[in-house]
Amino acid sequence: MNTDLVIKVGGAAGQGLHTIGVVLAKTFKKSGFNVFTTQFYLSRVRGGHNTYQVRICNEPIRAMTEKVDILIALDEASINEHLNEISDGVVLVDTDVIKIEQMNESIFHVPMLKIAKDVCGNKIYSNTVAIGAALGLMCFNFEYLERVLTATFQKKGDEIIENNIKAARAGYDHAKKNFPSACKFAVKEPLIEDGRMLIAGNDAVALGALAAGVQFLAAYPMTPSTGVMTYIAAKADEFNVVVEQAEDEIAALNMVLGASYAGVRAMTTTSGGGFCLMAEALGLAGITETPAVIFLSQRPGPATGLPTMTEQGDLQFVLTAAQGEFPRCILAPGTPDDCFYLTAKAFNIAEKFQIPVFVMSDQYLADSLFTCKKFDTSKIEIDRHLLSDDELKGKNEYNRYELTPTGISPRAIPGQAGFTVVVDSDEHNETGHLDQTIDNRILMNDKRMKKLKLLEQEMEAPQLYGNKKADITLIGWGSTYGPLLEVVDILTSEGHSVDHLHFTNVYPLPVDAIKNMMADAGKIVCVENNATGQFAKLFECETGLRVDENILRSDGKPYTPEHIIRALEQKKVI
């Protein structure tokens, strides 16, 4: 029995829909289902209209579909805005609280407030009644929900736990007893106890940084990147990390550079608006060849833009930020696994090549929850690329910017073996002292830039999904991975010849590997969440290959498979 269901919770900020969604997600995950969740929320503490969606499936899922099977409506806007998404589904709503002008067969009244008061003596448990009612429509094994509620409210005491379980059971029984067709969405739990996690992209990035040995993080809170800082801060004592909430982003990156110069692994977290303030410090990292990891979670701009929504609009900015030219690296995870392993990789690259490395995410990946296997920390190698005391003892002098065939100078920590490590934001010579002669400028600029070609050799080739040499190749980067995989599956099942090439190592692109993989490619279509095709331009510029069509979206919402397929049809690609 194949299950693929979507539950959407709609309500105003402050109504607790996030808690409903997370409890449902944890319950489904505990029973063995694959789970994927997304949320849409406005930049306000109270009011407005937000949603939280939970999709469950027997098969692995990485995207949200547009159809809704169960809508839990906590406000009138949920009915007005989302009723059309229900085709053969059910709307759970308390019509004693929300007046419905025109009832139809999809609307099912659940007296959430009355049940909560009758069973628990307090209306605060009405949301738990809604959770129980949703699971009642599925004839879901109630024991899983009971276990999740017990764990969720453990710190609040036995009485709170007991009341939540009673409220959920009452909602569950009401739905089973009163819905016209009992168990409309009956499911069979997979019962898989495989130790999988339910994790958000931001948490995976934080775990990757901790696994890589980060010792210092400085940041100014900015949605949607803040979750990385708060997660690491919560683990700071356990992992011996210093976390500093800086006064602004200018200070944050400069602190990171100071910590890195002193010899510790350091990172900052931000979004596009905050990164604007980091441009000068980025140039300092470039000319002083100081390693730094910058986690940049994108949201729609310019200025404040849509601070709680998603976009891939900062790629060209990150590629060219700061005056002058210097090497940098850009990694863009598409899954929680990528978030973990690529963040760890970012620290190794930063220290090996002595450059700033960006890990670029977005609100969609940052906030979504995925089921995935536990990360394997044994795959994480920490390579500091620092000189040892023994290596330094044999030297009469230490030159921070010593010229080498690779452009990478031996790196020491200030004071190590008695040596002074001189750095300068002016153009400097091998010793680190200011030198503005033309010959020195050429030597130092060439030294820095030759690292870029060496870095290209270490960048991983894009991942191919589907049949090679297809008539249509969809290319994407970062968080579009999940929706594009599902598009390939759907179109292939309909008889189309489609594959997908996905990029997580975004800059510098591994040009030779890409050309080999795309030697016999058919029509190339680039799908990305921005208005101008930023990755497509980079792809064409670096590889010399032509992108035939661009599928673009910049309304603040993430892609769904249906949206991409409609766009392909409109452009007559399929």
Side-chain angles (χ1 to χ4, degrees):
M1 178 179 179
N2 187 47
T3 296
D4 191 350
L5 292 173
V6 174
I7 300 175
K8 174 176 274 191
V9 189
Q15 281 194 287
L17 65 161
H18 182 271
T19 301
I20 295 175
V22 171
V23 168
L24 284 169
K26 289 181 177 179
T27 301
F28 294 132
K29 178 261 174 188
K30 190 169 285 292
S31 73
F33 277 112
N34 290 285
V35 179
F36 179 71
T37 80
T38 60
Q39 53 183 314
F40 173 87
Y41 59 100
L42 300 175
S43 182
R44 55 193 301 174
V45 178
R46 296 280 179 181
H49 179 67
N50 301 343
T51 62
Y52 195 104
Q53 285 182 256
V54 182
R55 182 184 179 193
I56 67 168
C57 190
N58 298 102
E59 302 298 324
I61 44 175
R62 293 275 186 264
M64 189 58 65
T65 61
E66 294 178 2
K67 61 106 178 179
V68 175
D69 298 292
I70 299 174
L71 173 64
I72 300 175
L74 302 182
D75 65 357
E76 188 176 345
S78 299
I79 306 293
N80 297 335
E81 294 187 25
H82 307 299
L83 189 59
N84 63 340
E85 298 169 21
I86 299 282
S87 55
D88 186 31
V90 177
V91 180
L92 299 179
V93 59
D94 189 340
T95 56
D96 295 336
V97 178
I98 301 170
K99 301 304 177 185
I100 308 296
E101 293 182 4
Q102 189 171 356
M103 296 288 288
N104 64 44
E105 59 184 14
S106 65
I107 294 175
F108 176 48
H109 168 54
V110 180
M112 302 171 197
L113 213 61
K114 183 178 184 302
I115 290 174
K117 289 179 179 179
D118 290 347
V119 174
C120 305
N122 195 326
K123 66 180 182 180
I124 199 172
Y125 296 100
S126 60
N127 283 0
T128 310
V129 175
I131 294 171
L135 296 183
L137 290 177
M138 301 167 66
C139 286
F140 197 85
N141 187 338
F142 187 81
E143 181 187 341
Y144 292 110
L145 175 58
E146 190 171 339
R147 287 160 59 187
V148 169
L149 290 173
T150 300
T152 300
F153 298 105
Q154 189 172 18
K155 293 182 180 179
K156 297 193 174 183
D158 292 341
E159 183 182 354
I160 301 296
I161 293 172
E162 185 180 339
N163 282 340
N164 273 285
I165 292 173
K166 287 195 299 184
R169 171 60 78 176
Y172 184 90
D173 291 341
H174 177 88
K176 287 188 70 175
K177 180 180 178 181
N178 294 286
F179 191 73
S181 53
C183 298
K184 178 176 176 64
F185 300 107
V187 298
K188 183 177 180 181
E189 296 87 354
L191 308 177
I192 300 172
E193 294 286 349
D194 59 0
R196 289 181 303 167
M197 303 182 295
L198 184 66
I199 192 168
N202 271 355
D203 292 349
V205 168
L207 285 171
L210 291 170
V214 66
Q215 292 177 278
F216 182 81
L217 184 151
Y220 184 83
M222 190 170 194
T223 303
S225 69
T226 310
V228 175
M229 178 177 70
T230 55
Y231 190 100
I232 292 177
K235 305 287 185 183
D237 291 341
E238 184 180 350
F239 288 87
N240 193 30
V241 185
V242 174
V243 177
E244 174 71 16
Q245 181 174 319
E247 61 268 32
D248 55 37
E249 290 84 355
I250 299 172
L253 185 51
N254 278 295
M255 287 179 183
V256 166
L257 298 183
S260 182
Y261 167 73
V264 302
R265 289 199 148 178
M267 73 179 298
T268 188
T269 63
T270 191
S271 189
F275 180 62
C276 289
L277 297 177
M278 296 182 178
E280 186 176 15
L282 182 69
L284 180 62
I287 199 164
T288 60
E289 301 182 52
T290 304
V293 173
I294 301 168
F295 173 69
L296 194 158
S297 191
Q298 300 165 95
R299 69 193 209 188
T304 306
L306 299 172
T308 59
M309 300 186 198
T310 199
E311 193 168 276
Q312 294 179 309
D314 295 341
L315 178 58
Q316 291 293 332
F317 177 33
V318 170
L319 279 167
T320 58
Q323 69 275 34
E325 297 171 300
F326 55 92
R328 67 195 74 191
C329 176
I330 301 174
L331 306 174
T335 66
D337 297 84
D338 290 342
C339 289
F340 179 76
Y341 295 110
L342 287 179
T343 300
K345 178 181 179 178
F347 283 94
N348 285 342
I349 291 175
E351 294 202 313
K352 178 177 180 178
F353 293 93
Q354 301 169 23
I355 58 172
V357 179
F358 294 86
V359 179
M360 293 189 70
S361 179
D362 50 45
Q363 183 273 328
Y364 173 62
L365 180 58
D367 291 340
S368 295
L369 290 176
F370 304 72
T371 44
C372 62
K373 293 180 181 178
K374 289 184 178 179
F375 305 135
D376 185 356
T377 55
S378 68
K379 294 181 179 179
I380 304 300
E381 295 183 4
I382 299 177
D383 196 344
R384 298 299 313 277
H385 298 280
L386 289 168
L387 285 171
S388 67
D389 288 346
D390 289 339
E391 289 173 310
L392 281 168
K393 283 176 183 176
K395 290 180 175 287
N396 295 321
E397 61 177 2
Y398 170 72
N399 292 328
R400 173 62 185 90
Y401 302 106
E402 179 183 332
L403 295 173
T404 67
T406 62
I408 302 171
S409 304
R411 180 170 166 244
I413 296 172
Q416 188 179 359
F419 285 110
T420 301
V421 178
V422 181
V423 299
D424 198 324
S425 65
D426 284 88
E427 189 58 275
H428 43 258
N429 54 29
E430 289 184 86
T431 67
H433 291 291
L434 184 149
D435 186 334
Q436 296 185 344
T437 62
I438 302 303
D439 289 345
N440 179 73
R441 166 62 176 180
I442 294 170
L443 281 174
M444 285 295 143
N445 206 41
D446 288 348
K447 169 200 182 306
R448 290 189 291 267
M449 294 309 296
K450 70 169 62 172
K451 292 189 286 188
L452 197 59
K453 197 64 182 175
L454 190 65
L455 173 59
E456 182 184 325
Q457 297 171 16
E458 293 203 11
M459 299 296 276
E460 295 176 15
Q463 180 180 343
L464 179 67
Y465 182 80
N467 296 321
K468 195 175 181 182
K469 299 182 181 180
D471 294 340
I472 302 167
T473 294
L474 305 175
I475 63 172
W477 64 285
S479 68
T480 58
Y481 179 72
L484 284 168
L485 256 59
E486 199 156 323
V487 168
V488 171
D489 289 339
I490 293 169
L491 294 181
T492 300
S493 70
E494 294 175 354
H496 296 281
S497 176
V498 184
D499 62 16
H500 171 47
L501 206 60
H502 199 79
F503 292 80
T504 57
N505 288 232
V506 172
Y507 186 80
L509 287 173
V511 173
D512 291 340
I514 294 168
K515 288 182 176 180
N516 288 335
M517 295 179 76
M518 305 197 75
D520 299 311
K523 181 171 287 189
I524 299 174
V525 181
C526 187
V527 181
E528 49 187 317
N529 261 121
N530 56 57
T532 57
Q534 295 184 24
F535 179 76
K537 291 175 181 176
L538 173 65
F539 176 86
E540 290 184 327
C541 179
E542 296 293 314
T543 67
L545 300 172
R546 182 171 180 270
V547 173
D548 298 292
E549 291 286 355
N550 286 289
I551 305 296
L552 305 172
R553 183 171 195 175
S554 57
D555 59 359
K557 292 185 177 182
Y559 277 113
T560 61
E562 296 96 327
H563 184 105
I564 295 171
I565 290 171
R566 285 196 300 271
L568 291 171
E569 290 172 342
Q570 289 168 2
K571 290 182 175 287
K572 302 188 185 308
V573 175
I574 57 173

